[in-house]
Amino acid sequence: MIKSLEWIEGGIRILDQTHLPHEEVYVECRDVSSIAEAIRSMRIRGAPAIGVAAAAAMALGAQTIQEQTFEAFSTKLSALGEDLAKARPTAVNLKWGIERMKQAALKSRDLPLPALKEALVAEAKAILEEDIRINQAIGAKGQVLIQDGSRILTHCNTGSLATAGYGTALGVIRSAKASGKRIEVLANETRPFLQGARLTAWELLKEGIPFSLITDSMAGSFMHRGMVDLVLVGADRIAANGDVANKIGTYTLAVLAKEHGIPFYVAAPLSTLDLTLQSGDEIPIEERSPEEVTHIGGRSIAPPGITAKNPAFDITPARYVTAMITERGIAYPPYKESLRRLVER
Ligand code: MRU
């Protein structure tokens, strides 16, 4: 299995996704700031992978705290978390990873500080392993929605690279294939950052899953021609009412799917749920550099000096989502109740 990140002596090793698909370059991060930089610059990306990396950052940051009382230690750890949380705004998993580490520190507050610091490294390692198991569970639960012979349209990258391993939406696809179903994938290139062309195509190729790469603007035409049986995507944040923030272009697919009577599924771990937000209107949307729109592979494709807009995510209202696949089962509308039931189980 492809490893987007793994623990090494004194830090983590990240597969630098900015070099894919042409080169497999790894970077070693041994402190909070290098992990924050890796998240900001998309060396590591995808909501669950960001959460796992954030937990590692907190564990590494904890090692540098010199304070001698738990209260002072905890204040410093929270400050590290506050800084780290600024790396990217939309995927709630970043905050989730930070909070989970703060909770772990609280649970071990009676330990001597050296032991507490060790406990935090153990917790961050456990979060990584847990993420793989969660994705495998999402795959197992979700693959029942896929019929033999299905043609699946997906967007962005939701595979091993976007998680600690296995993937969310891509995990469901992987799982359907493993259970003997013949499937075919249409992968959107996902402009402007091209996660579909650079990352999903790379993963599908490695996995031997039959697929074709299409540009985002082709999706509607493929649906109209009866060549898509279902749409399957991941999520970066899901509000309490079931509104979904995901890679820009997801909303367009959801509306198109409804128009064509095609099921639209979202696969995500429960760590992507943000029950503090009532609706998608409250989800912060990251605005990235206009250069990602005006340039491809570092080369300009537009007249110099023009303005360009680059919101990295959009909101798909819950009414367009046929079902949500989580590690605890499949949620159907109304999501306000079904998601809460899954969380409380
Ligand atoms: O900007 P990115 O590449 O971090 O965006 C990733 C996505 O939008 C994925 O679809 C999302 O994180 C779900 S994946 C597991």
Side-chain angles (χ1 to χ4, degrees), residues 47 89-97 236-238 271-274:
T90 303
V92 74
N93 310 62
L94 176 61
K95 279 208 197 106
W96 173 89
D236 290 86
R237 198 186 292 220
I238 301 171
S271 55
T272 304
L273 269 188
D274 187 349

Side-chain angles (χ1 to χ4, degrees), residues 42 45-48 88 156-157 162 168 195 234-236 246-247 313:
M42 313 268 270
R45 38 134 314 275
R88 291 191 74 192
C156 198
N157 173 265
T168 56
Q195 288 95 331
D236 290 86
N246 193 47
K247 183 51 55 193
F313 300 93

Side-chain angles (χ1 to χ4, degrees), residues 234-258:
D236 290 86
R237 198 186 292 220
I238 301 171
N241 70 344
D243 290 353
V244 175
N246 193 47
K247 183 51 55 193
I248 190 79
T250 303
Y251 170 57
T252 317
L253 290 182
V255 175
L256 282 167
K258 188 153 199 146

Side-chain angles (χ1 to χ4, degrees), residues 17 39 42 44-50 88 90-91 93 135 154-163 167-170 190 193 195 198-199 233-237 245-248 250 266-269 272 286 288 292 312-314:
Q17 298 183 28
I39 294 172
M42 313 268 270
I44 184 130
R45 38 134 314 275
I50 291 172
R88 291 191 74 192
T90 303
N93 310 62
N135 286 306
T154 192
H155 191 62
C156 198
N157 173 265
T158 61
S160 289
L161 292 169
T163 60
T168 56
L170 212 58
T190 319
F193 207 73
Q195 288 95 331
R198 296 190 304 104
L199 310 176
V233 297
D236 290 86
R237 198 186 292 220
N246 193 47
K247 183 51 55 193
I248 190 79
T250 303
V266 172
T272 304
E286 178 181 9
R288 293 188 60 85
E292 289 177 359
F313 300 93
D314 61 24

Side-chain angles (χ1 to χ4, degrees), residues 138-139 142-143 146 167-177 232 267 325:
I138 291 172
Q143 64 86 17
I146 297 179
T168 56
L170 212 58
V172 175
I173 291 171
R174 209 185 291 278
S175 191
K177 176 164 186 271
L232 180 53
I325 307 158

